[in-house]
Amino acid sequence: MLAPDAMLGPYRIVSLLGEGGMGAVYRAKDTRLGRDVAIKILTALTLSDQERVQRFEQEARATGMLNHPNLLTIYDVGNEGGTAYIVSELLEGATLSERLARGPLPPRRAVDAALQVANGLAAAHEKGIIHRDLKPDNIFLTRDGRAKILDFGIAKLSSKSDDGGIFQQAATEPGMVLGTVGYMSPEQVRGETVDTRSDIFAFGAILYEMLTGVRAFKRGSSIETLSAILKEDPPDLADSLPNIPPALERLTRRCLEKDRELRFQSARDLAFNLETMSAMSTAGTLSNVPNPAHSATMRVQPEVPRRTSATAIRPVTSAIPSTVRTTARPATLAQPMPRRVSPILLTLLFLVAVAGAAWGGWYFATDRMKSEAPPEVVFHRMTFRRGEVRSARFGPDGDSIVYSAAWDGNPSEIFVANRQSPEPRPLGVKDADILAISKSTELAILLRRDRLTGLGTLARVPLAGGTPREVAEQVLQADWSPDGTNLTAIVGGNGTFRIESPLGRVRYETPHALRDIRVASDGRIAFIETYSGKSDVAVLDPKTAKPVSIARGWGHGATGLSWAPGGKEIWITATDSGAPPALYGVNVDTGETRLINRLTGSMRLYDIAPAGHVLLSNGMWRAALEVQAPGETAERDLSWLDWSILADLSHDGHTILFNEPREGGGAASAMYLRRLDAPTPVRIADGYGDAISPDGKYVLGHSGAKLVVVPTGSGEARELKTDGAFDLGAAWLPDGRRVVIAGALPKKGYQLMVIDTLDESVKPISPEGIWGDAYRPFAVSPDGHYAAGMTKQQTIALYPIDAAAEPSIVPAIEPGEIPIAWSADGASLFVHRPTALPAQVTRVTLATGAREPWKQFSPTDPAGVYKIAPICITPDGTAYAYDALRMLGDLYVADGLR
């Protein structure tokens, strides 16, 4: 036992949080950073147990490889005086097991927690790590509503994991059963080799328990439980949750399939399906599911009427004719006695009538509910390779699908598939994207699309294949006219965008960016126009050539557009007021917008078939932060959360500055510093970091629209009182007080300027209107006298910082290349083209213009990588860092969207 105030390395023990068979967990204070942490240690009794020591080390390594909001974050590992320990974030809340002791979770909360667990599993699986002991005890629910996966002590590191094969696993031989009874997969019970689908089975058992409060396979003994896992299915969820959505029951059942081939094949697919259900719950679908503890009170019984209508049951005597009942008979004749009806029969008839009325009311009410209930949305996955889906269209028959995708790091290629069978056939056209399909099955395609502008060469090619016929240059997108004879296109160049319909005839021209053009069956042209960070959905009348905005002010996330069958609505995928991505329908006549479905991830709409099938993709963005430190010979992936964007590399090459501007970094984003010899980075502030000062004591950054100077040690951030708008990215001058940054002062154009961080003065050093469509396209000379920056013509010039002299053009620069860094002697520049793959860095001698290839950057896994930028290089060239920006996506056909 460790006493309060005891020191374990730099950590001061505060209190004991819990103790188990493997060791103990303490609350502690990191005396260096002043933050509260949790420390897990091995007790002296377990140090002699080599297997437990190995598992403890494996937990540290496996968890340390993972950086995700739904996985426990490891800060440090160490061994102090024979005491091995792991330092992690301190969680406030309870384990899922503790929460389930109070009963099942409400369905909406269960789906939300399950989605977070699935996302955490997906992150682990993508690193090659299989948990193998997923259970409620190893899932933590924090007070702020986040679910985190714990305890990778018996995790399996697969061959694709990042440990390089140097870490020996603990007790992972085939035939050995590892896991927790009740949550093991059938293959674990049989002692077979496990894979990621074993975690998905355990996930299904946990989801079942969250919904019902009962373990899926609980029996009287461990042997009976293991037998049930192999041979039996758990009771139907509908037994406990009568109103459970069928899709949620099917999802749970699919996770619990005995045959792993029938389960979800990846946690990413599982998360996608759960995200859709989570979005549906926002609209109330899941919120109406009763808690099983109260399900009996939710069953509506037919109400028995207190009395029946007079026409419902009539006295039997009323059927006797009145003449029979009133005419006298001779006394000598026996008078017929009226038949008496049995009271029992009357009662039976009464009950039958009541039951019939009740059944009829129930039947018609149920029938009406069925007719009014929205159809279930079903997603059919069409692609299964690693990479990015670029575009897709339905064929005229509504079943054939033509899509373009860049698989496994290769250039984009066009494939043909069928809605009933996803097996693709390559069309044989390389470096091409599909734009549209005519009624005669002729394709409009875009060749050699520029990665920066999106423009390329428009061509036509038959669906059966052949040599493309090029018809126009500088085209962004295009669609066929209703008769399939002419093309309507968005054409760019010279700072403007124009709609040509047919090609060569300008119908609309604007300085604003245009995209996603689609032609309706009556010739109306729909498109998206973007300006000032907002997007308008507009329709161009083919007769007047005047655009009419029918939906204004969408966020910058408006992507994907298609006419709905009938032409009364336009459907788009977009974000609205910071909400998650969604599919919306916009009424063309009234502009009224309705929510069709909350989608997940970076969803994009491509097409809608006449029968209502919807073609869309689901993407996942990732930024791989690759670093090679001084003296090392191999790159390391130091990505932290979901979008680790490099900002700067210190001059000595031992520290990087990077940012997490997406979900992992929070609403305000986060800036991090990381020593390359440290196991984890340090979050230094909210906002976006731009550059590290020469002495490493400060970071210039952005906090909202303002510039700030953030100390890397103790102290408070200081906001600079400067007017103007400044781009992300900066470079400190050697004096440690001034920085070079790009932006626009009030009523001025875009240019380079120097800001003094002490007196807050601003001095332009370049002409206005220079090119700046890249991250930090400038670099400062070692002596601080020049800044190499861009010109209007996308060449590179040397701009004097202090002297009153004219800029000089750097010779032998190819258009589009940007400066990365100066060499240590100031005689050369490192340059590269941000849109080129692989990224070629070239060293250019300033005096002579001599060009020398320095290094080519290409990540080990090129799948989905669409850009390598930014790149940072130390002046002596001994260290570097770069981001490989990756988009991984899959194509889906959705049925049931209305």
Side-chain angles (χ1 to χ4, degrees):
M1 292 286 293
L2 295 176
D5 293 328
M7 296 297 294
L8 195 64
Y11 305 101
R12 177 178 289 109
I13 301 300
V14 176
S15 61
L16 178 68
L17 293 177
E19 192 169 10
M22 192 169 179
V25 180
Y26 292 87
R27 184 188 189 104
K29 177 76 75 174
D30 186 338
T31 58
R32 298 166 304 179
L33 301 176
R35 64 182 172 189
D36 292 325
V37 296
I39 296 184
K40 184 175 183 178
I41 69 168
L42 278 178
T43 62
L45 292 177
T46 61
L47 284 174
S48 60
D49 188 332
Q50 182 58 37
E51 182 179 322
R52 293 195 175 204
V53 172
Q54 194 171 346
R55 288 185 182 179
F56 188 80
E57 293 172 346
Q58 176 156 318
E59 178 182 3
R61 181 167 184 81
T63 314
M65 290 167 58
L66 303 171
N67 300 299
H68 190 274
N70 299 119
L71 299 172
L72 182 70
T73 300
I74 295 295
Y75 294 144
D76 194 6
V77 294
N79 193 303
E80 184 78 12
T83 301
Y85 63 87
I86 303 172
V87 183
S88 69
E89 62 179 317
L90 181 65
L91 301 178
E92 301 286 350
T95 66
L96 177 58
S97 178
E98 292 169 337
R99 170 58 185 84
L100 289 175
R102 305 198 308 267
L105 274 65
R108 179 186 295 183
R109 179 70 182 99
V111 170
D112 178 65
L115 171 60
Q116 295 187 56
V117 173
N119 283 328
L121 270 185
H125 292 172
E126 286 164 9
K127 287 285 190 179
I129 297 175
I130 306 164
H131 193 286
R132 297 202 300 178
D133 195 22
L134 200 64
K135 56 186 177 182
D137 282 333
N138 289 338
I139 297 173
F140 199 91
L141 303 179
T142 66
R143 290 179 179 173
D144 61 358
R146 181 163 288 184
K148 285 182 173 281
I149 302 175
L150 316 176
D151 198 353
F152 283 80
I154 65 168
K156 177 182 177 183
L157 308 184
S158 70
S159 58
K160 73 170 188 176
S161 67
D162 295 342
D163 71 338
I166 63 172
F167 191 77
Q168 182 181 0
Q169 297 178 40
T172 58
E173 293 299 322
M176 180 170 289
V177 178
L178 290 177
T180 299
V181 173
Y183 303 96
M184 284 191 280
S185 64
E187 56 268 24
Q188 279 179 289
V189 174
R190 290 189 291 264
E192 299 172 354
T193 301
V194 300
D195 57 25
T196 57
R197 293 169 294 182
S198 296
D199 283 347
I200 290 175
F201 184 92
F203 173 93
I206 294 169
L207 177 56
Y208 184 97
E209 188 173 345
M210 284 196 292
L211 291 167
T212 65
V214 178
R215 292 188 182 182
F217 300 101
K218 185 176 182 180
R219 300 295 186 270
S221 67
S222 297
I223 296 299
E224 292 173 308
T225 299
L226 295 176
S227 177
I229 290 173
L230 292 174
K231 302 175 182 178
E232 301 175 23
D233 291 326
D236 291 341
L237 283 171
D239 293 346
S240 302
L241 296 161
N243 297 327
I244 188 172
L248 181 55
E249 175 146 27
R250 283 199 301 271
L251 180 142
T252 309
R253 288 289 177 189
R254 187 174 174 187
C255 292
L256 292 173
E257 288 285 354
K258 309 295 185 189
D259 184 350
R260 70 179 91 183
E261 297 295 332
L262 299 179
R263 296 174 209 151
F264 286 98
Q265 297 300 290
S266 75
R268 187 63 61 193
D269 282 351
L270 174 58
F272 169 72
N273 282 268
L274 282 165
E275 181 78 23
T276 302
M277 293 181 191
S278 180
M280 291 169 61
S281 73
T282 304
T285 306
L286 292 178
S287 61
N288 295 326
V289 180
N291 189 304
H294 307 290
S295 61
T297 64
M298 298 296 293
R299 297 180 185 271
V300 180
Q301 301 294 336
E303 182 179 356
V304 179
R306 294 184 180 180
R307 61 186 174 201
T308 59
S309 169
T311 58
I313 301 178
R314 304 174 68 182
V316 177
T317 54
S318 66
I320 303 174
S322 60
T323 56
V324 173
R325 289 186 278 119
T326 60
T327 304
R329 297 290 181 185
T332 58
L333 295 177
Q335 261 190 348
M337 295 294 293
R339 290 186 177 181
R340 296 186 62 189
V341 180
S342 167
I344 297 177
L345 178 59
L346 281 174
T347 303
L348 289 174
L349 289 172
F350 177 82
L351 293 176
V352 169
V354 170
W359 179 87
W362 171 84
Y363 176 83
F364 288 112
T366 303
D367 187 62
R368 180 179 178 185
M369 290 172 61
K370 287 182 178 179
S371 64
E372 293 178 353
E376 180 186 351
V377 181
V378 179
F379 292 87
H380 307 276
R381 185 174 174 182
M382 299 301 299
T383 58
F384 299 89
R385 297 174 64 181
R386 277 177 56 81
E388 178 189 2
V389 177
R390 299 282 182 84
S391 185
R393 292 292 185 270
F394 282 114
D397 59 2
D399 281 330
S400 59
I401 297 171
V402 180
Y403 65 89
S404 50
W407 297 135
D408 305 316
N410 296 314
S412 183
E413 186 177 356
I414 296 177
F415 299 87
V416 181
N418 188 280
R419 189 171 61 87
Q420 308 299 332
S421 175
E423 184 67 28
R425 171 179 65 85
L427 191 65
V429 182
K430 305 286 187 179
D431 198 8
D433 289 325
I434 177 68
L435 297 180
I437 306 176
S438 72
K439 290 182 177 179
S440 61
T441 67
E442 186 177 11
L443 307 184
I445 64 175
L446 197 66
L447 301 173
R448 303 178 293 277
R449 183 193 293 272
D450 182 84
R451 291 178 179 272
L452 185 62
T453 64
L455 303 176
T457 300
L458 179 63
R460 302 167 61 157
V461 64
L463 180 58
T467 301
R469 178 166 65 90
E470 300 180 4
V471 295
E473 300 290 339
Q474 296 291 95
V475 172
L476 182 68
Q477 288 171 332
D479 199 7
W480 289 98
S481 60
D483 60 7
T485 58
N486 296 309
L487 284 163
T488 297
I490 298 175
V491 182
N494 300 321
T496 65
F497 289 83
R498 58 187 183 274
I499 294 177
E500 296 184 4
S501 182
L503 290 174
R505 182 183 178 188
V506 178
R507 308 303 298 271
Y508 177 59
E509 189 168 6
T510 176
H512 303 146
L514 304 177
R515 65 176 186 273
D516 294 305
I517 193 164
R518 298 303 297 269
V519 180
S521 58
D522 60 3
R524 289 174 296 169
I525 302 170
F527 58 93
I528 295 175
E529 184 170 0
T530 301
Y531 56 92
S532 302
K534 299 292 184 180
S535 299
D536 286 356
V537 178
V539 173
L540 188 69
D541 189 297
K543 296 180 181 179
T544 64
K546 293 182 178 180
V548 177
S549 295
I550 62 172
R552 292 181 174 273
W554 290 89
H556 64 278
T559 59
L561 176 150
S562 183
W563 288 90
K568 294 183 179 180
E569 274 193 330
I570 293 173
W571 287 16
I572 62 171
T573 39
T575 58
D576 183 26
S577 302
L583 180 63
Y584 295 92
V586 182
N587 187 291
V588 178
D589 296 325
T590 66
E592 182 179 354
T593 301
R594 67 182 181 92
L595 173 66
I596 298 173
N597 199 295
R598 274 296 167 208
L599 302 174
T600 178
S602 300
M603 188 68 70
R604 178 167 184 172
L605 171 68
Y606 290 121
D607 204 6
I608 306 175
H613 311 301
V614 179
L615 195 58
L616 38 76
S617 68
N618 177 48
M620 178 186 68
W621 298 87
R622 286 291 182 269
L625 179 51
E626 302 285 344
V627 179
Q628 183 168 308
E632 296 183 354
T633 58
E635 296 176 0
R636 288 187 284 156
D637 184 350
L638 296 184
S639 308
W640 186 237
L641 300 179
D642 56 341
W643 194 245
S644 302
I645 296 298
L646 176 67
D648 202 5
L649 175 67
S650 62
H651 282 196
D652 63 7
H654 289 290
T655 303
I656 57 172
L657 171 69
F658 69 95
N659 300 286
E660 291 288 351
R662 295 204 172 187
E663 181 181 358
S669 299
M671 41 180 117
Y672 286 86
L673 273 178
R674 181 168 190 167
R675 290 279 304 176
L676 299 189
D677 57 357
T680 59
V682 176
R683 178 172 178 153
I684 59 172
D686 289 344
Y688 201 101
D690 295 303
I692 308 171
S693 64
D695 59 9
K697 294 181 178 180
Y698 298 98
V699 164
L700 180 77
H702 278 73
S703 179
K706 293 294 185 179
L707 293 175
V708 292
V709 176
V710 181
T712 59
S714 60
E716 298 293 328
R718 176 171 57 89
E719 182 181 298
L720 298 182
K721 297 178 176 59
T722 54
D723 293 328
F726 304 99
D727 261 357
L728 300 176
W732 287 81
L733 294 179
D735 59 22
R737 64 177 285 171
R738 294 181 297 166
V739 292
V740 175
I741 197 167
L745 296 175
K747 299 182 180 180
K748 295 287 185 179
Y750 186 85
Q751 60 190 146
L752 290 183
M753 56 197 79
V754 173
I755 297 179
D756 192 309
T757 61
L758 296 183
D759 65 22
E760 301 180 354
S761 61
V762 180
K763 171 190 173 184
I765 60 172
S766 80
E768 297 180 45
I770 65 173
W771 184 87
D773 198 7
Y775 180 83
R776 195 170 62 185
F778 52 86
V780 173
S781 63
D783 57 12
H785 292 162
Y786 294 92
M790 304 303 293
T791 68
K792 292 182 180 180
Q793 295 75 31
Q794 296 188 39
T795 57
I796 299 177
L798 302 183
Y799 296 107
I801 292 177
D802 294 314
E806 292 297 316
S808 57
I809 300 298
V810 177
I813 294 298
E814 298 178 358
E817 289 182 327
I818 68 170
I820 302 172
W822 293 66
S823 61
D825 58 7
S828 304
L829 270 179
F830 295 102
V831 302
H832 89 119
R833 182 177 286 104
T835 57
L837 284 177
Q840 175 64 59
V841 175
T842 301
R843 184 170 180 153
V844 178
T845 303
L846 297 175
T848 64
R851 295 173 61 90
E852 175 189 2
W854 182 73
K855 187 172 180 62
Q856 191 175 83
F857 293 103
S858 181
T860 305
D861 177 11
V865 174
Y866 62 91
K867 191 176 183 180
I868 293 181
I871 297 174
C872 293
I873 303 171
T874 56
D876 59 7
T878 61
Y880 60 82
Y882 67 89
D883 265 312
L885 306 183
R886 190 189 311 273
M887 171 66 169
L888 297 176
D890 293 303
L891 187 65
Y892 289 84
V893 173
D895 290 323
L897 292 170
R898 298 288 186 270

